[in-house]
Short mmCIF file of all heavy atoms in Angstrom, two decimals:
data_model
loop_
_atom_site.label_atom_id
_atom_site.label_comp_id
_atom_site.label_asym_id
_atom_site.label_seq_id
_atom_site.Cartn_x
_atom_site.Cartn_y
_atom_site.Cartn_z
N VAL V 1 90.99 14.02 -62.98
CA VAL V 1 91.01 13.30 -61.68
C VAL V 1 89.64 13.18 -61.29
O VAL V 1 88.86 14.11 -61.30
CB VAL V 1 91.87 14.11 -60.62
CG1 VAL V 1 91.62 13.55 -59.31
CG2 VAL V 1 93.23 14.29 -61.05
N HIS V 2 89.22 11.98 -60.76
CA HIS V 2 87.78 11.74 -60.27
C HIS V 2 88.00 11.28 -58.82
O HIS V 2 89.10 10.54 -58.58
CB HIS V 2 87.16 10.65 -61.04
CG HIS V 2 86.91 11.17 -62.52
ND1 HIS V 2 85.88 11.87 -62.87
CD2 HIS V 2 87.66 10.77 -63.75
CE1 HIS V 2 85.87 12.12 -64.25
NE2 HIS V 2 86.94 11.45 -64.65
N TYR V 3 87.10 11.46 -58.03
CA TYR V 3 87.24 10.96 -56.68
C TYR V 3 85.87 10.68 -56.13
O TYR V 3 84.81 11.17 -56.65
CB TYR V 3 87.96 12.04 -55.82
CG TYR V 3 87.22 13.29 -55.54
CD1 TYR V 3 86.23 13.49 -54.57
CD2 TYR V 3 87.40 14.40 -56.50
CE1 TYR V 3 85.43 14.75 -54.47
CE2 TYR V 3 86.67 15.66 -56.40
CZ TYR V 3 85.78 15.71 -55.41
OH TYR V 3 85.10 16.92 -55.26
N ARG V 4 85.68 9.98 -55.16
CA ARG V 4 84.54 9.60 -54.37
C ARG V 4 84.90 9.78 -52.89
O ARG V 4 85.98 9.39 -52.42
CB ARG V 4 84.11 8.23 -54.59
CG ARG V 4 83.46 7.92 -55.91
CD ARG V 4 82.96 6.51 -55.96
NE ARG V 4 82.54 6.24 -57.31
CZ ARG V 4 81.97 5.28 -57.70
NH1 ARG V 4 81.95 4.11 -56.89
NH2 ARG V 4 81.64 4.96 -58.90
N TYR V 5 83.87 9.97 -52.14
CA TYR V 5 84.16 10.11 -50.67
C TYR V 5 82.90 9.50 -49.92
O TYR V 5 81.77 9.62 -50.48
CB TYR V 5 84.52 11.47 -50.15
CG TYR V 5 83.37 12.40 -50.10
CD1 TYR V 5 82.50 12.65 -49.09
CD2 TYR V 5 83.14 13.31 -51.25
CE1 TYR V 5 81.47 13.43 -49.02
CE2 TYR V 5 82.07 14.20 -51.13
CZ TYR V 5 81.33 14.25 -50.20
OH TYR V 5 80.27 15.17 -50.15
N GLY V 6 83.07 9.09 -48.78
CA GLY V 6 81.93 8.60 -48.04
C GLY V 6 82.39 8.57 -46.49
O GLY V 6 83.61 8.51 -46.18
N ALA V 7 81.40 8.76 -45.65
CA ALA V 7 81.81 8.87 -44.25
C ALA V 7 80.58 8.36 -43.36
O ALA V 7 79.36 8.48 -43.71
CB ALA V 7 81.99 10.23 -43.81
N ASN V 8 80.91 7.69 -42.26
CA ASN V 8 79.95 7.29 -41.30
C ASN V 8 80.21 8.13 -40.17
O ASN V 8 81.20 8.15 -39.53
CB ASN V 8 80.09 5.76 -40.97
CG ASN V 8 79.84 4.84 -42.01
OD1 ASN V 8 78.85 5.13 -42.78
ND2 ASN V 8 80.56 3.79 -42.18
N VAL V 9 79.14 8.98 -39.78
CA VAL V 9 79.44 10.11 -38.85
C VAL V 9 78.43 9.87 -37.62
O VAL V 9 77.25 9.58 -37.88
CB VAL V 9 79.23 11.44 -39.45
CG1 VAL V 9 79.45 12.49 -38.47
CG2 VAL V 9 80.14 11.59 -40.75
N GLY V 10 78.94 10.06 -36.46
CA GLY V 10 78.20 9.91 -35.30
C GLY V 10 78.60 10.96 -34.35
O GLY V 10 79.54 11.68 -34.53
N GLY V 11 77.89 11.07 -33.13
CA GLY V 11 78.27 11.91 -32.09
C GLY V 11 78.08 13.30 -32.41
O GLY V 11 77.07 13.75 -33.01
N LYS V 12 78.97 14.21 -31.89
CA LYS V 12 78.80 15.73 -32.07
C LYS V 12 78.80 16.14 -33.48
O LYS V 12 78.03 17.04 -33.80
CB LYS V 12 79.99 16.42 -31.42
CG LYS V 12 79.92 16.45 -29.99
CD LYS V 12 81.12 17.38 -29.38
CE LYS V 12 81.06 17.62 -27.92
NZ LYS V 12 82.07 18.52 -27.48
N LEU V 13 79.64 15.36 -34.36
CA LEU V 13 79.68 15.86 -35.72
C LEU V 13 78.35 15.54 -36.48
O LEU V 13 77.87 16.43 -37.24
CB LEU V 13 80.86 15.21 -36.43
CG LEU V 13 81.13 15.60 -37.82
CD1 LEU V 13 81.52 17.03 -37.81
CD2 LEU V 13 82.22 14.83 -38.46
N ALA V 14 77.67 14.48 -36.01
CA ALA V 14 76.39 14.20 -36.70
C ALA V 14 75.25 15.21 -36.37
O ALA V 14 74.41 15.39 -37.16
CB ALA V 14 75.90 12.82 -36.36
N ALA V 15 75.41 15.91 -35.26
CA ALA V 15 74.52 16.91 -34.85
C ALA V 15 74.43 18.07 -35.83
O ALA V 15 73.41 18.74 -35.86
CB ALA V 15 74.87 17.34 -33.47
N PHE V 16 75.48 18.28 -36.53
CA PHE V 16 75.52 19.37 -37.48
C PHE V 16 74.71 19.08 -38.64
O PHE V 16 74.36 19.95 -39.49
CB PHE V 16 76.99 19.79 -37.96
CG PHE V 16 77.62 20.44 -36.97
CD1 PHE V 16 78.57 19.90 -36.11
CD2 PHE V 16 77.47 21.85 -36.69
CE1 PHE V 16 79.27 20.55 -35.16
CE2 PHE V 16 78.06 22.48 -35.67
CZ PHE V 16 79.03 21.77 -34.87
N GLY V 17 74.41 17.86 -39.00
CA GLY V 17 73.64 17.50 -40.22
C GLY V 17 74.43 17.22 -41.42
O GLY V 17 75.60 17.64 -41.52
N GLN V 18 73.74 16.49 -42.23
CA GLN V 18 74.41 16.11 -43.48
C GLN V 18 74.87 17.20 -44.38
O GLN V 18 75.97 17.22 -44.97
CB GLN V 18 73.54 15.11 -44.33
CG GLN V 18 74.20 14.47 -45.46
CD GLN V 18 75.34 13.55 -45.10
OE1 GLN V 18 75.27 12.94 -43.99
NE2 GLN V 18 76.18 13.33 -46.04
N ARG V 19 74.09 18.20 -44.48
CA ARG V 19 74.51 19.34 -45.35
C ARG V 19 75.71 20.13 -44.90
O ARG V 19 76.62 20.44 -45.65
CB ARG V 19 73.40 20.37 -45.53
CG ARG V 19 72.27 19.89 -46.49
CD ARG V 19 71.32 21.08 -46.74
NE ARG V 19 70.01 20.56 -46.54
CZ ARG V 19 68.94 21.27 -46.38
NH1 ARG V 19 68.99 22.59 -46.25
NH2 ARG V 19 67.79 20.75 -46.34
N MET V 20 75.85 20.25 -43.60
CA MET V 20 77.06 20.92 -43.08
C MET V 20 78.19 19.99 -43.28
O MET V 20 79.29 20.60 -43.72
CB MET V 20 76.82 21.21 -41.61
CG MET V 20 78.03 21.78 -41.00
SD MET V 20 78.49 23.41 -41.54
CE MET V 20 77.47 24.33 -40.53
N ILE V 21 78.08 18.79 -43.06
CA ILE V 21 79.23 17.80 -43.27
C ILE V 21 79.70 17.81 -44.68
O ILE V 21 80.81 17.96 -45.03
CB ILE V 21 78.84 16.49 -42.82
CG1 ILE V 21 78.64 16.40 -41.33
CG2 ILE V 21 79.99 15.32 -43.13
CD1 ILE V 21 77.99 15.16 -40.74
N GLU V 22 78.72 17.72 -45.69
CA GLU V 22 79.08 17.77 -46.97
C GLU V 22 79.78 19.08 -47.46
O GLU V 22 80.64 19.12 -48.29
CB GLU V 22 77.86 17.52 -47.89
CG GLU V 22 77.44 16.03 -47.91
CD GLU V 22 76.13 15.88 -48.75
OE1 GLU V 22 75.80 16.75 -49.41
OE2 GLU V 22 75.66 14.65 -48.75
N GLY V 23 79.27 20.17 -46.80
CA GLY V 23 79.91 21.53 -47.12
C GLY V 23 81.37 21.57 -46.76
O GLY V 23 82.21 21.97 -47.42
N VAL V 24 81.62 20.95 -45.54
CA VAL V 24 83.04 20.94 -44.96
C VAL V 24 83.86 20.02 -45.91
O VAL V 24 84.97 20.45 -46.26
CB VAL V 24 83.09 20.49 -43.58
CG1 VAL V 24 84.46 20.29 -43.02
CG2 VAL V 24 82.35 21.55 -42.61
N VAL V 25 83.30 19.01 -46.24
CA VAL V 25 84.08 18.01 -47.03
C VAL V 25 84.41 18.70 -48.39
O VAL V 25 85.58 18.59 -48.93
CB VAL V 25 83.34 16.68 -47.28
CG1 VAL V 25 84.01 15.78 -48.39
CG2 VAL V 25 83.26 15.87 -45.91
N ARG V 26 83.51 19.36 -48.99
CA ARG V 26 83.69 20.09 -50.31
C ARG V 26 84.75 21.15 -50.16
O ARG V 26 85.67 21.24 -50.96
CB ARG V 26 82.43 20.73 -50.84
CG ARG V 26 81.72 19.98 -51.97
CD ARG V 26 80.66 20.76 -52.53
NE ARG V 26 79.44 20.00 -52.29
CZ ARG V 26 78.43 20.27 -51.43
NH1 ARG V 26 78.40 21.44 -50.85
NH2 ARG V 26 77.44 19.41 -51.26
N ILE V 27 84.73 21.80 -48.99
CA ILE V 27 85.83 22.82 -48.75
C ILE V 27 87.14 22.23 -48.70
O ILE V 27 88.17 22.66 -49.26
CB ILE V 27 85.44 23.66 -47.50
CG1 ILE V 27 84.35 24.55 -47.64
CG2 ILE V 27 86.74 24.45 -47.05
CD1 ILE V 27 83.78 25.22 -46.47
N LEU V 28 87.18 21.13 -47.92
CA LEU V 28 88.50 20.41 -47.77
C LEU V 28 89.09 19.77 -49.12
O LEU V 28 90.20 19.88 -49.52
CB LEU V 28 88.53 19.33 -46.73
CG LEU V 28 88.18 19.84 -45.31
CD1 LEU V 28 87.97 18.62 -44.42
CD2 LEU V 28 89.39 20.67 -44.84
N ILE V 29 88.19 19.17 -49.84
CA ILE V 29 88.58 18.67 -51.25
C ILE V 29 88.96 19.77 -52.14
O ILE V 29 90.02 19.64 -52.80
CB ILE V 29 87.37 17.88 -51.81
CG1 ILE V 29 87.13 16.60 -50.97
CG2 ILE V 29 87.67 17.60 -53.22
CD1 ILE V 29 86.02 15.71 -51.26
N ASP V 30 88.28 20.88 -52.20
CA ASP V 30 88.62 22.02 -53.11
C ASP V 30 89.97 22.53 -52.56
O ASP V 30 90.88 22.87 -53.49
CB ASP V 30 87.64 23.12 -52.90
CG ASP V 30 86.29 22.73 -53.68
OD1 ASP V 30 86.29 21.87 -54.35
OD2 ASP V 30 85.32 23.58 -53.45
N ALA V 31 90.27 22.70 -51.26
CA ALA V 31 91.58 23.16 -50.80
C ALA V 31 92.70 22.16 -51.26
O ALA V 31 93.71 22.64 -51.57
CB ALA V 31 91.52 23.28 -49.21
N PHE V 32 92.38 20.84 -51.04
CA PHE V 32 93.40 19.92 -51.44
C PHE V 32 93.83 20.09 -52.88
O PHE V 32 94.91 20.12 -53.25
CB PHE V 32 93.01 18.51 -51.22
CG PHE V 32 93.91 17.47 -51.81
CD1 PHE V 32 94.97 17.09 -51.05
CD2 PHE V 32 93.52 16.86 -52.99
CE1 PHE V 32 95.80 16.10 -51.65
CE2 PHE V 32 94.30 15.88 -53.57
CZ PHE V 32 95.41 15.42 -52.83
N PHE V 33 92.77 20.10 -53.78
CA PHE V 33 93.07 20.19 -55.26
C PHE V 33 93.69 21.51 -55.72
O PHE V 33 94.52 21.57 -56.48
CB PHE V 33 91.86 19.89 -56.08
CG PHE V 33 91.57 18.32 -56.15
CD1 PHE V 33 90.55 17.80 -55.42
CD2 PHE V 33 92.40 17.60 -56.71
CE1 PHE V 33 90.30 16.41 -55.50
CE2 PHE V 33 92.21 16.17 -56.67
CZ PHE V 33 91.23 15.59 -56.03
N ALA V 34 93.28 22.64 -54.95
CA ALA V 34 93.93 24.02 -55.19
C ALA V 34 95.29 23.88 -54.90
O ALA V 34 96.26 24.36 -55.68
CB ALA V 34 93.12 25.09 -54.44
N ARG V 35 95.65 23.22 -53.66
CA ARG V 35 97.14 23.17 -53.32
C ARG V 35 97.85 22.24 -54.23
O ARG V 35 99.01 22.45 -54.70
CB ARG V 35 97.25 22.59 -51.94
CG ARG V 35 96.89 23.61 -50.88
CD ARG V 35 97.12 23.21 -49.51
NE ARG V 35 98.51 22.65 -49.27
CZ ARG V 35 99.54 23.51 -49.11
NH1 ARG V 35 99.32 24.79 -49.17
NH2 ARG V 35 100.79 23.00 -48.79
N LEU V 36 97.19 21.06 -54.69
CA LEU V 36 97.88 20.15 -55.61
C LEU V 36 98.16 20.85 -56.92
O LEU V 36 99.26 20.74 -57.51
CB LEU V 36 97.00 18.97 -55.86
CG LEU V 36 97.53 17.95 -56.97
CD1 LEU V 36 98.84 17.36 -56.40
CD2 LEU V 36 96.48 16.80 -57.12
N GLY V 37 97.30 21.60 -57.46
CA GLY V 37 97.35 22.40 -58.60
C GLY V 37 98.48 23.40 -58.57
O GLY V 37 99.44 23.55 -59.46
N ALA V 38 98.56 24.06 -57.45
CA ALA V 38 99.64 25.03 -57.23
C ALA V 38 100.96 24.43 -57.18
O ALA V 38 101.96 24.87 -57.76
CB ALA V 38 99.35 25.85 -55.94
N ARG V 39 101.05 23.35 -56.57
CA ARG V 39 102.42 22.59 -56.46
C ARG V 39 102.75 22.13 -57.88
O ARG V 39 103.96 22.13 -58.22
CB ARG V 39 102.22 21.42 -55.50
CG ARG V 39 102.17 21.76 -54.14
CD ARG V 39 103.49 22.15 -53.52
NE ARG V 39 103.33 22.37 -52.14
CZ ARG V 39 104.30 22.92 -51.42
NH1 ARG V 39 105.39 23.14 -51.86
NH2 ARG V 39 104.08 23.10 -50.12
N LEU V 40 101.83 21.57 -58.73
CA LEU V 40 102.14 21.13 -60.00
C LEU V 40 102.62 22.29 -60.90
O LEU V 40 103.48 22.04 -61.87
CB LEU V 40 100.97 20.40 -60.61
CG LEU V 40 100.65 19.08 -59.92
CD1 LEU V 40 99.30 18.51 -60.47
CD2 LEU V 40 101.70 18.14 -60.02
N ARG V 41 102.19 23.49 -60.60
CA ARG V 41 102.61 24.68 -61.41
C ARG V 41 103.83 25.30 -60.80
O ARG V 41 104.40 26.19 -61.31
CB ARG V 41 101.44 25.71 -61.35
CG ARG V 41 100.19 25.33 -62.16
CD ARG V 41 99.18 26.53 -62.19
NE ARG V 41 98.86 27.07 -60.99
CZ ARG V 41 97.82 26.46 -60.26
NH1 ARG V 41 97.09 25.50 -60.66
NH2 ARG V 41 97.46 27.04 -59.06
N GLY V 42 104.33 24.61 -59.82
CA GLY V 42 105.59 25.16 -59.14
C GLY V 42 105.41 26.37 -58.23
O GLY V 42 106.37 27.00 -57.83
N GLU V 43 104.20 26.61 -57.83
CA GLU V 43 103.87 27.56 -56.83
C GLU V 43 103.83 27.12 -55.38
O GLU V 43 103.70 25.96 -55.23
CB GLU V 43 102.57 28.27 -57.25
CG GLU V 43 102.47 28.88 -58.66
CD GLU V 43 101.01 29.16 -59.02
OE1 GLU V 43 100.10 29.04 -58.12
OE2 GLU V 43 100.85 29.64 -60.20
N VAL V 44 103.90 27.96 -54.47
CA VAL V 44 103.81 27.66 -53.14
C VAL V 44 102.36 28.21 -52.64
O VAL V 44 102.33 29.47 -52.50
CB VAL V 44 104.92 28.03 -52.19
CG1 VAL V 44 104.62 27.75 -50.71
CG2 VAL V 44 106.23 27.54 -52.66
N PRO V 45 101.45 27.38 -52.22
CA PRO V 45 100.21 27.87 -51.76
C PRO V 45 100.29 28.68 -50.49
O PRO V 45 101.16 28.45 -49.67
CB PRO V 45 99.35 26.69 -51.54
CG PRO V 45 100.00 25.61 -52.31
CD PRO V 45 101.40 25.87 -52.35
N ALA V 46 99.47 29.83 -50.41
CA ALA V 46 99.55 30.75 -49.16
C ALA V 46 99.13 30.02 -47.86
O ALA V 46 99.70 30.26 -46.88
CB ALA V 46 98.69 31.85 -49.47
N VAL V 47 98.19 29.22 -47.87
CA VAL V 47 97.69 28.54 -46.64
C VAL V 47 97.76 27.10 -46.81
O VAL V 47 97.42 26.47 -47.81
CB VAL V 47 96.14 29.01 -46.44
CG1 VAL V 47 95.62 28.28 -45.15
CG2 VAL V 47 95.97 30.48 -46.31
N SER V 48 98.37 26.52 -45.80
CA SER V 48 98.53 24.98 -45.76
C SER V 48 97.25 24.29 -45.63
O SER V 48 96.28 24.82 -45.04
CB SER V 48 99.57 24.55 -44.76
OG SER V 48 98.93 24.66 -43.42
N PHE V 49 97.23 23.03 -46.12
CA PHE V 49 96.02 22.30 -45.97
C PHE V 49 95.65 22.08 -44.51
O PHE V 49 94.51 22.15 -44.05
CB PHE V 49 96.21 20.96 -46.72
CG PHE V 49 95.10 20.04 -46.69
CD1 PHE V 49 93.98 20.20 -47.45
CD2 PHE V 49 94.96 19.00 -45.84
CE1 PHE V 49 92.85 19.41 -47.40
CE2 PHE V 49 93.84 18.06 -45.76
CZ PHE V 49 92.81 18.35 -46.59
N SER V 50 96.64 21.73 -43.69
CA SER V 50 96.40 21.53 -42.23
C SER V 50 95.95 22.76 -41.59
O SER V 50 95.09 22.72 -40.62
CB SER V 50 97.67 21.04 -41.59
OG SER V 50 98.67 21.90 -41.64
N GLU V 51 96.44 23.93 -41.89
CA GLU V 51 95.88 25.23 -41.35
C GLU V 51 94.39 25.41 -41.67
O GLU V 51 93.65 25.87 -40.85
CB GLU V 51 96.70 26.40 -41.88
CG GLU V 51 98.07 26.41 -41.32
CD GLU V 51 98.96 27.50 -42.01
OE1 GLU V 51 98.57 27.89 -43.01
OE2 GLU V 51 100.01 27.88 -41.38
N ARG V 52 94.04 25.06 -42.90
CA ARG V 52 92.68 25.32 -43.32
C ARG V 52 91.78 24.27 -42.67
O ARG V 52 90.75 24.64 -42.13
CB ARG V 52 92.57 25.02 -44.82
CG ARG V 52 91.07 25.35 -45.28
CD ARG V 52 90.96 25.48 -46.73
NE ARG V 52 91.80 26.54 -47.18
CZ ARG V 52 91.57 27.40 -48.14
NH1 ARG V 52 90.36 27.28 -48.74
NH2 ARG V 52 92.36 28.38 -48.54
N LEU V 53 92.25 23.03 -42.54
CA LEU V 53 91.44 22.00 -41.76
C LEU V 53 91.24 22.45 -40.31
O LEU V 53 90.12 22.38 -39.78
CB LEU V 53 92.07 20.65 -41.83
CG LEU V 53 91.48 19.54 -41.00
CD1 LEU V 53 90.08 19.34 -41.46
CD2 LEU V 53 92.38 18.34 -41.14
N TYR V 54 92.39 22.86 -39.71
CA TYR V 54 92.28 23.36 -38.23
C TYR V 54 91.30 24.44 -38.16
O TYR V 54 90.46 24.52 -37.13
CB TYR V 54 93.77 23.75 -37.83
CG TYR V 54 93.68 24.55 -36.53
CD1 TYR V 54 93.55 23.70 -35.28
CD2 TYR V 54 93.97 25.83 -36.40
CE1 TYR V 54 93.61 24.34 -34.10
CE2 TYR V 54 93.93 26.46 -35.22
CZ TYR V 54 93.79 25.69 -33.99
OH TYR V 54 93.81 26.21 -32.73
N SER V 55 91.26 25.38 -39.02
CA SER V 55 90.35 26.68 -38.90
C SER V 55 89.00 26.14 -39.08
O SER V 55 88.06 26.72 -38.41
CB SER V 55 90.69 27.65 -39.97
OG SER V 55 90.41 27.24 -41.19
N ILE V 56 88.71 25.19 -39.97
CA ILE V 56 87.26 24.74 -40.09
C ILE V 56 86.85 23.92 -38.91
O ILE V 56 85.75 24.18 -38.41
CB ILE V 56 87.19 23.83 -41.45
CG1 ILE V 56 87.32 24.61 -42.65
CG2 ILE V 56 85.81 23.07 -41.35
CD1 ILE V 56 87.56 23.84 -43.84
N LEU V 57 87.67 23.11 -38.33
CA LEU V 57 87.35 22.30 -37.11
C LEU V 57 87.13 23.21 -35.96
O LEU V 57 86.18 23.05 -35.13
CB LEU V 57 88.42 21.28 -36.75
CG LEU V 57 88.59 20.19 -37.76
CD1 LEU V 57 89.69 19.29 -37.43
CD2 LEU V 57 87.18 19.44 -37.88
N ARG V 58 87.89 24.30 -35.87
CA ARG V 58 87.66 25.33 -34.73
C ARG V 58 86.39 26.05 -34.95
O ARG V 58 85.63 26.22 -34.03
CB ARG V 58 88.90 26.23 -34.70
CG ARG V 58 90.17 25.68 -34.09
CD ARG V 58 91.16 26.74 -33.76
NE ARG V 58 90.53 27.73 -32.77
CZ ARG V 58 90.93 28.97 -32.81
NH1 ARG V 58 91.74 29.52 -33.62
NH2 ARG V 58 90.41 29.74 -31.82
N MET V 59 86.07 26.35 -36.19
CA MET V 59 84.87 27.05 -36.42
C MET V 59 83.66 26.31 -36.08
O MET V 59 82.69 26.69 -35.47
CB MET V 59 84.82 27.41 -37.90
CG MET V 59 83.50 28.10 -38.44
SD MET V 59 83.42 28.34 -40.17
CE MET V 59 83.31 26.71 -40.82
N LEU V 60 83.75 24.89 -36.25
CA LEU V 60 82.62 24.10 -35.90
C LEU V 60 82.59 23.74 -34.44
O LEU V 60 81.76 23.01 -33.97
CB LEU V 60 82.72 22.79 -36.80
CG LEU V 60 82.55 22.88 -38.25
CD1 LEU V 60 82.73 21.69 -39.06
CD2 LEU V 60 81.10 23.44 -38.54
N GLY V 61 83.69 24.07 -33.76
CA GLY V 61 83.71 23.78 -32.26
C GLY V 61 84.18 22.35 -32.01
O GLY V 61 83.92 21.83 -30.91
N LEU V 62 84.89 21.73 -33.00
CA LEU V 62 85.30 20.36 -32.89
C LEU V 62 86.74 20.20 -32.45
O LEU V 62 87.20 19.03 -32.25
CB LEU V 62 84.91 19.59 -34.19
CG LEU V 62 83.51 19.52 -34.60
CD1 LEU V 62 83.37 18.90 -36.01
CD2 LEU V 62 82.68 18.87 -33.56
N PHE V 63 87.45 21.27 -32.40
CA PHE V 63 88.87 21.20 -32.05
C PHE V 63 89.23 22.39 -31.27
O PHE V 63 89.00 23.54 -31.65
CB PHE V 63 89.72 21.19 -33.38
CG PHE V 63 91.22 21.00 -33.15
CD1 PHE V 63 91.72 19.64 -33.01
CD2 PHE V 63 92.00 22.01 -32.99
CE1 PHE V 63 92.97 19.45 -32.72
CE2 PHE V 63 93.42 21.86 -32.78
CZ PHE V 63 93.86 20.49 -32.72
N ARG V 64 89.99 22.11 -30.17
CA ARG V 64 90.35 23.19 -29.28
C ARG V 64 91.80 22.85 -28.90
O ARG V 64 92.22 21.75 -28.64
CB ARG V 64 89.52 23.11 -27.98
CG ARG V 64 88.07 23.68 -28.27
CD ARG V 64 87.29 23.91 -27.01
NE ARG V 64 85.89 24.15 -27.27
CZ ARG V 64 85.01 23.45 -27.57
NH1 ARG V 64 85.18 22.14 -27.66
NH2 ARG V 64 83.81 23.86 -27.93
N ARG V 65 92.68 23.90 -28.80
CA ARG V 65 93.89 23.71 -28.35
C ARG V 65 94.05 23.37 -26.84
O ARG V 65 93.31 23.86 -26.08
CB ARG V 65 94.76 25.01 -28.51
CG ARG V 65 95.12 25.21 -30.01
CD ARG V 65 96.13 26.38 -30.15
NE ARG V 65 96.27 26.52 -31.60
CZ ARG V 65 97.36 27.13 -32.01
NH1 ARG V 65 98.23 27.60 -31.24
NH2 ARG V 65 97.47 27.25 -33.37
N ARG V 66 94.93 22.55 -26.62
CA ARG V 66 95.10 22.08 -25.10
C ARG V 66 96.05 23.13 -24.61
O ARG V 66 97.06 23.57 -25.14
CB ARG V 66 95.79 20.77 -25.04
CG ARG V 66 94.80 19.64 -25.50
CD ARG V 66 95.45 18.27 -25.38
NE ARG V 66 94.61 17.32 -25.96
CZ ARG V 66 94.88 16.06 -25.88
NH1 ARG V 66 95.94 15.62 -25.19
NH2 ARG V 66 94.02 15.13 -26.34
N SER V 67 95.68 23.53 -23.23
CA SER V 67 96.65 24.53 -22.62
C SER V 67 97.46 23.94 -21.61
O SER V 67 97.34 22.74 -21.23
CB SER V 67 95.84 25.74 -22.16
OG SER V 67 94.70 25.22 -21.48
#
């Protein structure tokens, strides 16, 4: 499997800089392929992709729960 990604980023997210954005994208892509591999092997991954994304966005201060 080969993939490419690209993004045009502005606003708050751009303030973190290109390296931080690329690091987050790598984490998300790794998580996606780890889950895909587990599913193909018939396993159920421990952490869902959406949970991992939510935790990364919260860590960066880009997502907050509404009360």
Side-chain angles (χ1 to χ4, degrees):
V1 175
H2 298 279
Y3 65 89
R4 287 186 184 178
Y5 72 89
N8 294 321
V9 181
K12 283 185 176 183
L13 189 57
F16 286 102
Q18 187 64 29
R19 281 191 228 161
M20 176 63 83
I21 294 167
E22 286 181 5
V24 170
V25 169
R26 258 187 244 113
I27 289 169
L28 293 174
I29 289 171
D30 288 345
F32 170 79
F33 283 110
R35 287 185 54 77
L36 177 61
R39 289 286 184 184
L40 292 174
R41 291 187 302 273
E43 302 168 2
V44 178
V47 178
S48 75
F49 183 75
S50 60
E51 289 170 341
R52 184 166 302 221
L53 175 60
Y54 172 74
S55 67
I56 291 169
L57 293 176
R58 282 193 62 214
M59 177 183 69
L60 294 174
L62 299 173
F63 186 83
R64 292 183 181 87
R65 285 190 181 200
R66 294 181 186 186
S67 46

